[in-house]
Amino acid sequence: MLFVTLRETPAEAEIPSHQLLLRGGYIRRIGSGIYAYMPLMWRVLQKVSKIVREEMDATGAQECLLPQLQPAQLWQESGRWDTYTKAEGIMFSLTDRSDRELGLGPTHEEIITTIARETIRSYRQLPSNLYQIQTKFRDEIRPRFGLMRGREFIMKDAYSFHTDEASLKETYQAMDKAYRHIMTRCGLEFRPVEADSGAIGGSGSQEFMILAEAGEDEILYTEDGSYAANTEKAVSLPADVVESPFSSFEKLETPDTATIAKLAETVNCSPTVIVKNVLYEVVYDNGKTVLALVNIRGDRDVNEVKLTNELTKLAKNYKAKTIISLSVPDAQAQKKWAAKDLPLGYIAPDLNNSYIVKDGSKTVIPSFLRLADTTVVELKNFVTGANETGYHVVGANWGDNFELPKVQVDIQEAKAGDRAVHDPSQTLSSARGIEAGHIFQLGTKYSEAMGANFTNESGKTEPLWMGCYGIGVSRLAQAAVEQSYDKDGIIWPVAIAPYHVIVIVPNISDNEKMAAGEKLYEEFKEAGVEVLLDDRKERAGAKFKDCELIGIPYRVVTGRSLSEGKVEVVKRANKEAQDLPIESVVETVKQWIEAELQIV
Ligand code: ATP
Ligand code: MG
């Protein structure tokens, strides 16, 4: 066995699971976001895959394997080629020797929809659900944390086809259940949450979050368990408005009040009666730049995912399909389109369009796109900017002093402590999570774009209804470590540990102890227990350290107690040690393992 552990923590690894997998010799970094899975890791990944496969098969889904090389033409048909290959797009693309463009599969909607349109003709063939477990490629902007965000990683992706929405919902529910089984069987603490559907598109979607401090996602949930959502998607009720102290419209000199906190203090009002005006620069896929002016309550922040979704809906007004970028423009960016200095920190909802250059080439839209967050719609006698540095207006009202934007949308960021929409007596709590799976109801987006139809019972042609369901197999495996380790190393959940038992011979020059170790190793193998034998010429201390680092659930030591016919058994999770008779140790440990594998 090629077994190499590291004593030092590699500098590149920031989070415990990444450090431990590198130190334990599970993975080796080959390049940015590119890792080799060493034999121990490969066993873990195969165990996760096996659980995923069993649960997918149990739903009636069928396994297949789709090509990783994907012709550009299919992505052009779905309309995703440019979004995925240009600017911040994450698809690796290449040109072959005949000058044909190809992409390396980041996901497979285009491929599967092509197959469906060629093979599914009739409602009699539906529903159908195909899945694969395969390496995906994504040129992530910030690959990091080892297998958590790689540029090459293993995913299980499934795609289902249906005659109607009801059938799609049924499979979606079955997938939800299968995902809960998978997470539970892998020994993970997780939470299903409502999620944003992002660039994949479609209607409902749910993520499966593995709870861990190092998680990149924030989850908001209520203690009663009836609501949980990714902050990207979460809704909430903001705090009640504290009545405005102003009853008439006035312009006040308010020097040095460019922040909400300073302004509230200076004019002595609650941030809940301030209308904050945030300027965004939006670039659409056809190159058009739009300046969006968002009005939101002073105590709230803009959720940029929700804003992106709203701006995407408005894309057609600019003859565009999607957004390439969304940013709060800095001084450098403003130079490209600002006709004069902006009254930053003092902007009012009616900021004049004359602040935008009249651009001959028409790439910059010469009027602001004005959007009001729902939190400002009902505000009375509010405080806001005066479009003049050092000045604000107070006692303002929509209709009298400012025109309320026609576009009124929920783009506020929900946060911990907010009241829940479904039950205002509940408040939202926050937790961090690692997104391990995501299930989507896609609807007819891809089938319509790519012409994947079927004939219904009455002979009419209709587009197929579609769902898609992903699990990050390699991310999940590392997330399990992030959730379960101690100062000495990994504590694998038994179900996905690379081996269940490690037999350690502390001193290999002691023939009796060596023979006992070898015999136990053979007996464990015969009993069907996955076992390792540490018969290296190393100090006993070094062997124990390595064994704790790699996290094998049970260690069996042929040490001092052998003279009484016993061996020491230590449980990795809690380091509980006991001496067991050598004749029955295999049977006893085997039973413990079997008990732990019976979780679902
Ligand atoms: P994220 O928001 O973390 O980038 P995503 O929304 O892009 O994820 P999906 O497209 O839904 O992810 O992919 C399905 C699953 O694949 C994810 O739930 C995650 O477990 C896994 N995954 C996605 N990107 C990566 C990556 N770069 N490295 C490892 N696993 C990944
Ligand atoms: Mg992603």
Side-chain angles (χ1 to χ4, degrees):
M1 179 172 184
L2 179 61
F3 182 74
V4 182
T5 56
L6 312 175
R7 208 149 297 150
E8 305 295 326
T9 300
E12 87 214 46
E14 295 157 57
I15 59 170
S17 56
H18 187 194
Q19 294 167 352
L20 291 170
L21 289 179
L22 282 168
R23 281 186 51 213
Y26 280 86
I27 57 174
R28 301 283 312 175
R29 183 181 182 273
I30 301 298
S32 168
I34 307 172
Y35 286 84
Y37 311 123
M38 299 301 281
L40 285 177
M41 192 72 218
W42 186 237
R43 288 182 69 98
V44 173
L45 292 169
Q46 284 189 300
K47 288 201 173 178
V48 175
S49 300
K50 181 166 183 280
I51 292 172
V52 168
R53 199 169 264 131
E54 285 170 6
E55 294 299 334
M56 285 297 113
D57 291 346
T59 68
Q62 279 191 294
E63 187 167 359
C64 63
L65 191 58
L66 304 172
Q68 287 161 312
L69 273 174
Q70 308 192 358
Q73 182 225 326
L74 299 180
W75 286 72
Q76 280 149 358
E77 280 185 46
S78 72
R80 290 206 297 181
W81 179 256
D82 286 346
T83 337
Y84 269 75
T85 56
K86 290 190 182 144
E88 298 191 348
I90 44 105
M91 179 150 67
F92 286 101
S93 57
L94 59 136
T95 309
D96 70 11
R97 65 176 74 245
S98 318
D99 265 348
R100 284 179 295 239
E101 281 187 297
L102 300 159
L104 281 182
T107 180
H108 281 73
E109 284 79 11
E110 280 74 3
I111 301 291
I112 200 83
T113 309
T114 302
I115 293 170
R117 84 174 159 201
E118 290 166 3
T119 55
I120 301 176
R121 295 265 168 266
S122 153
Y123 70 95
R124 286 189 206 94
Q125 293 166 283
L126 297 167
S128 166
N129 192 2
L130 295 182
Y131 77 94
Q132 60 171 345
I133 298 175
Q134 182 196 54
T135 295
K136 293 281 186 278
F137 298 92
R138 292 186 183 182
D139 196 359
E140 295 281 354
I141 293 160
R142 230 175 295 113
R144 57 182 187 158
F145 300 155
L147 308 187
M148 293 282 195
R149 188 168 295 285
R151 295 199 299 162
E152 181 179 328
F153 59 96
I154 302 173
M155 197 204 285
K156 184 286 298 178
D157 45 332
Y159 305 88
S160 68
F161 294 94
H162 310 268
T163 52
D164 54 25
E165 191 172 13
S167 165
L168 165 59
K169 289 215 151 102
E170 213 171 287
T171 297
Y172 183 79
Q173 292 307 330
M175 287 290 134
D176 173 33
K177 200 168 137 207
Y179 274 44
R180 289 170 198 252
H181 280 173
I182 291 167
M183 303 281 157
T184 309
R185 284 183 62 188
C186 288
L188 299 164
E189 218 193 307
F190 69 100
R191 199 185 274 279
V193 302
E194 286 178 22
D196 176 66
S197 298
I200 299 264
S203 53
S205 94
Q206 185 170 276
E207 287 166 343
F208 291 81
M209 292 290 183
I210 295 175
L211 302 175
E213 269 313 303
E216 285 184 325
D217 289 276
E218 192 193 6
I219 303 161
L220 292 172
Y221 64 96
T222 55
E223 295 291 349
D224 71 351
S226 61
Y227 183 76
N230 191 316
T231 28
E232 290 180 353
K233 168 87 179 177
V235 292
S236 68
L237 296 175
D240 287 334
V241 172
V242 178
E243 203 181 323
S244 171
F246 305 102
S247 52
S248 57
F249 182 72
E250 238 183 300
K251 178 171 154 184
L252 299 181
E253 189 172 1
T254 54
D256 278 332
T257 55
T259 65
I260 296 292
K262 284 242 181 79
L263 173 62
E265 195 191 314
T266 305
V267 304
N268 198 15
C269 74
S270 154
T272 62
V273 288
I274 296 175
V275 171
K276 177 162 77 175
N277 305 292
V278 196
L279 193 57
Y280 284 96
E281 182 179 316
V282 188
V283 181
Y284 281 104
D285 57 345
N286 58 359
K288 295 247 188 293
T289 295
V290 173
L291 285 319
L293 187 61
V294 172
N295 320 128
I296 188 165
R297 228 170 74 175
D299 61 322
R300 310 301 299 181
D301 289 316
V302 175
N303 174 330
E304 293 189 359
V305 173
K306 289 187 185 176
L307 177 60
T308 300
N309 292 341
E310 295 303 332
L311 292 167
T312 306
K313 286 186 207 158
L314 297 171
K316 52 182 181 307
N317 298 355
Y318 305 101
K319 299 195 170 61
K321 281 200 207 95
T322 53
I323 291 182
I324 300 281
S325 73
L326 171 73
S327 56
V328 173
D330 58 14
Q332 189 65 29
Q334 288 163 27
K335 278 195 199 141
K336 279 181 283 168
W337 50 261
K340 49 192 170 184
D341 283 348
L342 290 154
L344 295 176
Y346 301 88
I347 291 177
D350 63 351
L351 184 67
N352 200 282
N353 290 333
S354 63
Y355 278 96
I356 309 176
V357 285
K358 299 281 171 290
D359 171 10
S361 67
K362 297 207 177 82
T363 56
V364 180
I365 304 294
S367 55
F368 289 107
L369 165 58
R370 297 170 200 273
L371 300 104
D373 177 66
T374 44
T375 50
V376 301
V377 174
E378 301 293 330
L379 283 187
K380 301 272 177 292
N381 294 317
F382 57 80
V383 175
T384 195
N387 288 330
E388 190 179 336
T389 301
Y391 291 87
H392 280 91
V393 296
V394 299
N397 286 291
W398 299 113
D400 300 343
N401 314 104
F402 298 104
E403 200 181 320
L404 180 64
K406 280 182 211 63
V407 188
Q408 295 158 25
V409 282
D410 171 22
I411 45 176
Q412 63 158 331
E413 182 149 285
K415 48 189 187 207
D418 287 353
R419 290 167 302 163
V421 171
H422 75 285
D423 173 3
S425 72
Q426 301 257 343
T427 53
L428 299 180
S429 303
S430 147
R432 296 209 72 84
I434 298 161
E435 178 200 324
H438 199 165
I439 59 176
F440 299 82
Q441 295 176 33
L442 291 174
T444 56
K445 172 175 164 165
Y446 292 90
S447 45
E448 280 184 45
M450 300 183 73
N453 304 315
F454 72 101
T455 311
N456 72 12
E457 260 176 280
S458 41
K460 223 179 105 216
T461 301
E462 285 184 42
L464 290 159
W465 284 79
M466 239 179 113
C468 78
Y469 320 91
I471 277 199
V473 170
S474 45
R475 181 185 283 183
L476 182 150
Q478 184 173 327
V481 178
E482 196 57 43
Q483 209 171 56
S484 180
Y485 65 90
D486 63 14
K487 65 175 189 356
D488 299 314
I490 299 170
I491 303 173
W492 284 110
V494 177
I496 60 172
Y499 291 89
H500 293 143
V501 174
I502 179 165
V503 175
I504 297 183
V505 183
N507 176 7
I508 57 167
S509 50
D510 180 328
N511 290 338
E512 194 194 337
K513 287 177 180 146
M514 184 67 188
E518 283 180 329
K519 184 157 174 278
L520 277 176
Y521 173 67
E522 291 304 329
E523 284 175 15
F524 272 117
K525 277 206 295 188
E526 265 164 47
V529 174
E530 298 172 30
V531 60
L532 276 173
L533 174 67
D534 191 349
D535 58 355
R536 290 177 299 163
K537 200 170 166 231
E538 290 277 352
R539 283 177 303 107
K543 292 186 188 179
F544 294 152
K545 270 213 158 61
D546 276 346
C547 142
E548 286 179 337
L549 175 60
I550 67 170
I552 307 300
Y554 295 100
R555 105 178 172 217
V556 176
V557 188
T558 58
R560 242 169 274 137
S561 53
L562 197 63
S563 54
E564 300 152 31
K566 289 184 172 169
V567 288
E568 186 191 45
V569 180
V570 185
K571 191 173 175 190
R572 174 64 185 91
N574 56 12
K575 306 221 174 143
E576 212 173 71
Q578 53 188 301
D579 286 342
L580 292 179
I582 197 159
E583 314 81 58
S584 59
V585 66
V586 171
E587 194 46 40
T588 309
V589 173
K590 187 181 174 182
Q591 277 171 16
W592 291 346
I593 293 163
E594 278 171 359
E596 289 192 67
L597 291 176
Q598 305 296 324
I599 337 178
V600 174

